[in-house]
């Protein structure tokens, strides 16, 4: 087929697409022009699942009837999650207040599809997780940024935007991705009190933090908290997340939930890891200590700003981040970069050895750029 004929057919075919799909590009991530030796770009755990958990899963797997569908809506897993939350938070969580999904991304999109119609507005701070905008726009909604700058991120300004746009949904991410910051609790709760629609709090990184909004679900019927097993639990390759919300929300979201939305292996592995949480807690302590080590060392640099973080990564803003990214990439270290003004990078807290490499290369940046460190002579 000639290129002219192909282009003509492609043009005709695209006329059948929804306008929202036509207007967007698929999420591709950053393309690498180097051989990746250390990947610190995805905020993943540096640890694979403990072998004892894998062994228990293998035992269960041998007994599974793969020819049969899993539970319709993962009722057993939802019950296990509710019991787990009760034990770890002291909150009276009911299984009907839990919805399980293929990672928290699956649930975030499900929420958008439940509430957002064509032309409806969705509000969220910026910068934040890019998929909020993506899910909104692919479903025909309109996305509005609430600048996440101290003087601009106020309840007064959020109230003004709510009154102006009458949104169907508000997203908050805390700890925030990509900055790692905890959002101001008073601002979030004032928003939930004033705004009567759903306020979704994405807590993908909450296990690394001293703060969360779990208790507020019982105080505000319009607050829903989403969490994932991809980060702290080291299950990014499995895809499992859950939402905790008042029955007012879950009974509506369930209408959009696909039957058999979780495969049986994810369901079983989720239940196993909830029963074997102690080793995960130890790993979280390790990751937090490594994150704090990175934050402390990198914060002593005059060439940029390192944001306070309670996630499993550090976010650095400033033009010299471009130089640091180049040095890291040249040595096979992959991180996440942002084409913002000023430029920014995000570095996942990896293993101790991986973080040693980052800090060694930071030392090289200091030497080559002759940049001054605050408070100490060396890293």
């Amino acid at each position: 087929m000639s290129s002219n004929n192909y282009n003509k057919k492609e043009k005709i075919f695209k006329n059948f697409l929804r306008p929202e799909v036509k207007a967007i590009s698929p999420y591709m991530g950053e393309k690498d022009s180097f051989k990746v030796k250390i990947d610190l770009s995805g905020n993943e755990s540096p640890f694979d699942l403990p072998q004892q958990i894998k062994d228990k899963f293998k035992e269960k797997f041998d007994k599974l009837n793969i020819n049969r569908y899993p539970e319709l809506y993962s009722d057993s897993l939802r019950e296990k999650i509710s019991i787990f939350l009760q034990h770890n938070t002291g909150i009276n969580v009911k299984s009907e207040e839990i919805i399980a999904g293929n990672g928290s991304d699956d649930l975030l999109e499900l929420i958008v599809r439940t509430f957002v119609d064509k032309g409806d507005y969705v509000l969220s701070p910026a910068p934040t997780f890019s998929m909020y905008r993506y899910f909104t726009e692919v479903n025909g909604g309109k996305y509005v940024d609430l600048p996440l700058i101290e003087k601009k991120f106020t309840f007064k300004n959020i109230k003004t935007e709510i009154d102006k746009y009458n949104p169907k949904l508000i997203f908050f991410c805390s700890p925030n991705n990509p900055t790692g910051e905890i959002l101001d609790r008073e601002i979030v709760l004032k928003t939930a009190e004033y705004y009567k629609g759903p306020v979704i709090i994405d807590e993908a990184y909450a296990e690394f933090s001293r703060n969360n909004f779990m208790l507020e679900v019982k105080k505000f019927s319009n607050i829903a908290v989403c969490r994932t097993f991809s980060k702290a639990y080291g299950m990014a390759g499995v895809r499992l997340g859950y939402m905790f919300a008042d029955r007012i929300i879950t009974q509506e979201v369930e209408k959009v939930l696909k039957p058999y939305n979780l495969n049986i292996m994810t369901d079983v592995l989720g239940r196993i890891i909830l029963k074997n949480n102690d080793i995960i807690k130890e790993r979280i302590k390790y990751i937090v200590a490594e994150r704090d080590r990175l934050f402390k060392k990198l914060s002593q640099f005059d060439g940029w700003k390192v944001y306070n973080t309670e996630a499993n990564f550090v976010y650095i803003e400033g033009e010299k981040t471009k130089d640091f990214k180049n040095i890291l990439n040249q040595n096979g270290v992959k991180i996440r970069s942002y084409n913002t003004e000023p430029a920014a990078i995000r570095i996942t807290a990896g293993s101790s050895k991986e973080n040693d490499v980052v800090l060694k290369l930071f030392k090289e940046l200091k030497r080559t750029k002759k940049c001054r460190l605050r408070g100490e002579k060396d890293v």
Side-chain angles (χ1 to χ4, degrees):
M1 183 186 298
S2 69
S3 59
N4 286 340
N5 285 337
Y6 182 84
N7 292 338
K8 184 178 179 181
K9 286 190 174 185
E10 184 181 32
K11 186 176 180 180
I12 293 171
F13 178 78
K14 287 188 175 181
N15 289 332
F16 290 89
L17 293 172
R18 289 171 49 223
E20 295 82 12
V21 177
K22 257 188 190 181
I24 63 173
S25 300
Y27 179 82
M28 301 297 293
E30 292 186 65
K31 292 185 179 180
D32 306 318
S33 57
F34 59 95
K35 183 178 180 181
V36 177
K37 299 176 183 177
I38 299 174
D39 191 346
L40 301 177
S41 66
N43 299 341
E44 300 151 322
S45 171
F47 301 107
D48 194 1
L49 279 180
Q51 189 58 47
Q52 57 263 48
I53 291 180
K54 287 188 174 183
D55 291 340
K56 290 178 182 179
F57 173 71
K58 290 173 186 175
E59 291 176 17
K60 289 282 187 181
F61 180 80
D62 287 339
K63 298 175 184 178
L64 294 177
N65 294 320
I66 303 298
N67 60 310
R68 301 296 182 187
Y69 285 109
E71 291 181 344
L72 194 62
Y73 294 115
S74 309
D75 288 343
S76 296
L77 176 60
R78 291 165 70 174
E79 179 67 24
K80 293 294 184 184
I81 292 173
S82 67
I83 293 171
F84 173 80
L85 290 177
Q86 287 185 57
H87 178 73
N88 285 274
T89 66
I91 303 169
N92 181 23
V93 181
K94 302 174 183 177
S95 61
E96 57 264 31
E97 296 171 326
I98 300 292
I99 293 181
N102 287 285
S104 55
D105 288 13
D106 183 36
L107 296 167
L108 297 172
E109 183 185 22
L110 194 67
I111 291 164
V112 171
R113 288 197 288 120
T114 301
F115 294 100
V116 179
D117 201 357
K118 187 177 178 66
D120 288 338
Y121 286 93
V122 171
L123 305 185
S124 187
T128 194
F129 187 38
S130 62
M131 298 308 286
Y132 306 148
R133 178 185 292 276
Y134 178 85
F135 292 144
T136 297
E137 293 181 347
V138 80
N139 283 283
K142 297 180 179 180
Y143 188 85
V144 178
D145 288 327
L146 303 169
L148 193 58
I149 301 171
E150 188 174 345
K151 293 181 180 179
K152 290 188 176 181
F153 188 68
T154 64
F155 172 67
K156 180 181 178 181
N157 288 342
I158 294 174
K159 179 180 178 297
T160 298
E161 299 297 280
I162 291 172
D163 294 341
K164 179 179 178 180
Y165 293 105
N166 189 27
K168 280 291 188 73
L169 198 61
I170 297 176
F171 281 114
F172 289 115
C173 186
S174 186
N176 184 50
N177 178 16
T179 61
E181 297 172 293
I182 290 294
L183 298 190
D184 188 294
R185 176 177 294 272
E186 184 179 359
I187 292 174
V188 172
L189 297 184
K190 278 187 175 181
T191 300
E193 185 174 8
Y194 177 75
Y195 172 65
K196 303 309 177 187
V199 175
I200 312 303
I201 304 177
D202 184 352
E203 291 193 341
Y205 303 94
E207 287 85 359
F208 304 108
S209 171
R210 296 162 293 180
N211 302 275
N212 66 74
F213 286 89
M214 279 285 185
L215 185 61
E216 313 309 330
V217 173
K218 289 296 185 178
K219 299 177 182 179
F220 294 84
S221 61
N222 61 331
I223 284 182
V225 170
C226 291
R227 288 195 176 184
T228 182
F229 285 73
S230 296
K231 310 302 180 182
Y233 287 84
M235 289 173 58
V238 175
R239 314 304 295 129
L240 176 61
Y242 64 90
M243 178 181 75
F244 170 40
D246 190 279
R247 187 63 181 152
I248 290 173
I249 294 177
T250 59
Q251 67 184 354
E252 301 304 325
V253 175
E254 280 175 348
K255 295 176 183 178
V256 188
L257 185 67
K258 297 187 297 288
Y260 313 115
N261 69 311
L262 280 189
N263 73 73
I264 194 170
M265 291 174 284
T266 297
D267 186 298
V268 169
L269 185 54
R271 282 184 268 160
I272 291 172
I273 202 166
L274 288 171
K275 287 183 178 179
N276 298 269
N277 189 47
D278 289 345
I279 191 169
I280 302 299
K281 288 182 179 179
E282 289 303 312
R283 290 178 169 188
I284 290 170
K285 290 180 183 177
Y286 174 100
I287 294 168
V288 167
E290 286 299 310
R291 174 204 71 195
D292 291 345
R293 181 164 75 102
L294 282 177
F295 175 82
K296 181 180 178 180
K297 297 293 186 181
L298 297 173
S299 294
Q300 294 164 346
F301 192 47
D302 274 338
W304 54 42
K305 173 185 177 182
V306 183
Y307 280 65
N308 289 322
T309 177
E310 290 197 26
N312 66 332
F313 55 82
V314 291
Y315 181 78
I316 310 172
E317 192 176 74
E319 286 305 307
K320 287 189 172 62
T321 59
K322 295 178 181 179
D323 298 322
F324 193 33
K325 179 182 186 297
N326 288 336
I327 291 173
L328 289 168
N329 291 171
Q330 288 165 12
N331 287 272
V333 182
K334 181 178 180 178
I335 61 169
R336 179 70 188 273
S337 62
Y338 297 87
N339 187 25
T340 53
E341 185 58 45
I345 57 174
R346 188 191 68 196
I347 305 174
T348 305
S351 68
S352 179
K353 289 183 178 180
E354 290 171 336
N355 298 332
D356 284 345
V357 172
V358 171
L359 293 175
K360 180 181 178 181
L361 294 172
F362 174 51
K363 189 176 180 180
E364 182 179 324
L365 173 73
K366 179 196 69 171
R367 183 174 63 252
T368 57
K369 296 300 176 181
K370 296 181 180 180
C371 295
R372 184 168 55 88
L373 286 174
R374 291 192 296 267
E376 81 179 42
K377 296 180 180 179
D378 211 340
V379 293

